[in-house]
Amino acid sequence: MRTDTDTPWGSLPAREHLPVEALDAGAPTGVPVLDVVIPVHNEERDLESCVRRLHDHLARTFPYRFRITVADNASTDRTPAVAARLAASMTEVTAYRLEEKGRGRALRTVWSHSDSPVLAYMDVDLSTDLNALLPLVAPLISGHSDLAIGSRLARSSRVVRGPKREFISRAYNLILKSSLSARFSDAQCGFKAIRRDVAERLLPMVEDTGWFFDTEMLVLAERAGLRIHEVPVDWVDDPDSRVHIVSTAVDDLKGVWRVGRALAVGALPLDRLARPFGDDPRDRAISGVPGGLARQLVGFCVVGALSTLFYLLLYSLFRTASGPQAANAAALLVSAVANTAANRRLTFGVRGRERAVRHQAQGLVVFGIGLALTSGSLAALDAASGNPAHGTELAVLIAANLAATVLRFLLFRAWVFPDRRGNDEKPHDHEARTQERSAR
């Protein structure tokens, strides 16, 4: 899994609508707004009809300048000659030759060299209805979304394909949802787009060079909090598809395992893809409210609720074999370690192994304070009633944990996981610090 990228450090800026001058289709020269890549390998029979049909559609319906790039993946037939002839006959068409196979390699290479602010790709068979192309890229042009995908599994999509491919597609997406917690509906549809500023940082993190490239890109983008727009599409299966289902499925499962393991250990610098909390400037102008406080409160509450349930379950389990004080200490210790790890990753966005041991040690200090509050409450209850019922013990512990929770959040935010940038730190200062930490 790639972690040593050449992309700029620091989080992404807020999304913005593309400048009006960039969208002026009447300008005699300028950078195309959209670059549609068609990756091909030995497609001499279908390539010309595909490119001409796509070019005609864009010329008639797309209101901005565009480019069609044929990315030849080491073809051994006449595909390079067909691509060169098309590029010579139409100014909006270019040809790019790669000496190695791999759809992911072709997309990464062409997208990395493109100057267009919006990058897209589609399969050469044009299985997807081209009327979905403008709805696909419009949210990227407007600044609403970071990536966009066509979905064959949306309720309003209309799909024609055999039961075998239908089963494989749905089973694969089910695997992604259960193993990688993916929320997008269709990872394999060959109809996707991405903003170039996002691609510059995201693509160097994507390791796969084949068919899993799309899935890996989407999973990392979603985990980083980027916005993925889905467009229902009309799609007709190509009966002459050359995808080798078994080998592709094996490679995909290997990719799922690799990406899942990297995400589990925090090996990817996904903070480089983070957008500001609220792209509307009004969200960043609320005086007296520290940045990210609302998001952290929500995350802390969710983690806290789950930790409390876990703690009460452990307490009830340990209580069957020991006294209330010992059961409370053991349950609180185990749940505190889990709570610190969860808050470190989910609430305060700290990834990687740096300072992990220190954070756990500080979390145990916070645990000691919580232990004092809950143990003191149990001692006071025992002194007042002598032999309290188990339900009464749980009620007192819940109240004591609520008080400890408020204190825990304040200590986590101010001491364990502080925002080390500070309010007065300039962006380049944070960039230098990040580079210094990475070098270590």
Side-chain angles (χ1 to χ4, degrees), residues 178-200:
S178 59
S179 61
L180 298 178
S181 301
R183 295 190 297 273
F184 47 85
S185 65
D186 191 351
Q188 295 177 308
C189 183
F191 194 70
K192 296 181 175 71
I194 185 173
R195 284 176 65 104
R196 190 185 67 192
D197 58 344
V198 175
E200 287 174 348

Side-chain angles (χ1 to χ4, degrees), residues 80-303:
V82 175
R85 185 173 69 248
L86 290 169
S89 62
M90 291 178 281
T91 57
E92 294 86 2
V93 177
T94 61
Y96 201 105
R97 168 74 175 180
L98 290 92
E99 298 302 329
E100 295 181 89
K101 291 178 61 177
R103 183 180 68 171
R105 178 180 287 108
L107 292 177
R108 178 190 290 115
T109 302
V110 176
W111 281 354
S112 297
H113 289 85
S114 179
D115 54 357
S116 296
V118 178
L119 311 169
Y121 96 88
M122 61 181 60
D123 293 333
V124 69
D125 55 20
L126 294 186
S127 296
T128 305
D129 181 12
L130 293 178
N131 287 326
L133 183 55
L134 183 56
L136 182 81
V137 301
L140 309 187
I141 293 173
S142 71
H144 174 271
S145 300
D146 299 294
L147 298 92
I149 64 174
S151 175
R152 299 162 298 183
L153 303 180
R155 289 184 179 274
S156 56
S157 298
R158 295 184 297 178
V159 177
V160 178
R161 61 177 168 181
K164 180 180 178 181
R165 293 182 67 90
E166 178 77 11
F167 172 78
I168 292 174
S169 180
R170 291 189 178 275
Y172 180 65
N173 283 280
L174 181 61
I175 291 173
L176 293 180
K177 292 179 184 296
S178 59
S179 61
L180 298 178
S181 301
R183 295 190 297 273
F184 47 85
S185 65
D186 191 351
Q188 295 177 308
C189 183
F191 194 70
K192 296 181 175 71
I194 185 173
R195 284 176 65 104
R196 190 185 67 192
D197 58 344
V198 175
E200 287 174 348
R201 301 190 184 205
L202 177 57
L203 296 185
M205 300 184 195
V206 180
E207 182 174 329
D208 191 79
T209 59
W211 293 97
F212 187 69
F213 174 88
D214 305 48
T215 301
E216 186 171 353
M217 179 180 69
L218 291 175
V219 169
L220 298 187
E222 188 175 75
R223 286 298 185 96
L226 298 180
R227 183 174 294 159
I228 301 175
H229 177 72
E230 295 199 17
V231 178
V233 297
D234 297 342
W235 192 85
V236 179
D237 187 19
D238 177 17
D240 191 34
S241 175
R242 302 177 187 179
V243 178
H244 299 287
I245 295 178
V246 175
S247 61
T248 300
V250 172
D251 291 339
D252 286 348
L253 292 176
K254 291 180 180 178
V256 169
W257 167 255
R258 174 176 51 80
V259 172
R261 182 177 56 184
L263 292 173
V265 301
L268 291 166
L270 297 180
D271 54 322
R272 302 182 199 176
L273 300 173
R275 292 286 193 188
F277 182 67
D279 289 344
D280 190 328
R282 292 171 296 181
D283 294 338
R284 303 190 294 275
I286 304 175
S287 60
V289 178
L293 177 60
R295 178 186 57 79
Q296 290 179 355
L297 278 172
V298 172
F300 186 81
C301 288
V302 172
V303 172

Side-chain angles (χ1 to χ4, degrees), residues 256-425:
V256 169
W257 167 255
R258 174 176 51 80
V259 172
R261 182 177 56 184
L263 292 173
V265 301
L268 291 166
L270 297 180
D271 54 322
R272 302 182 199 176
L273 300 173
R275 292 286 193 188
F277 182 67
D279 289 344
D280 190 328
R282 292 171 296 181
D283 294 338
R284 303 190 294 275
I286 304 175
S287 60
V289 178
L293 177 60
R295 178 186 57 79
Q296 290 179 355
L297 278 172
V298 172
F300 186 81
C301 288
V302 172
V303 172
L306 295 176
S307 296
T308 300
L309 292 175
F310 184 49
Y311 161 76
L312 293 174
L313 177 63
L314 289 176
Y315 176 80
S316 299
L317 179 64
F318 295 152
R319 187 68 175 85
T320 61
S322 63
Q325 293 290 1
N328 174 62
L332 199 58
L333 176 61
V334 175
S335 61
V337 173
N339 181 278
T340 300
N343 276 307
R344 180 179 189 269
R345 176 71 181 274
L346 302 177
T347 303
F348 297 97
V350 180
R351 294 179 172 86
R353 300 174 182 177
E354 184 182 1
R355 297 176 180 266
V357 175
R358 177 178 177 177
H359 290 156
Q360 281 293 349
Q362 291 172 310
L364 289 178
V365 174
V366 178
F367 149 76
I369 297 174
L371 177 62
L373 283 173
T374 52
S375 297
S377 300
L378 283 175
L381 175 64
D382 185 67
S385 59
N387 188 23
H390 182 64
T392 305
E393 286 182 352
L394 291 180
V396 169
L397 287 174
I398 291 173
N401 266 290
L402 288 176
T405 296
V406 175
L407 182 59
R408 187 184 305 123
F409 177 75
L410 296 176
L411 289 173
F412 272 178
R413 183 176 171 84
W415 179 48
V416 183
F417 308 110
D419 184 355
R420 298 182 180 276
R421 286 176 291 178
N423 295 330
D424 297 327
E425 185 180 57

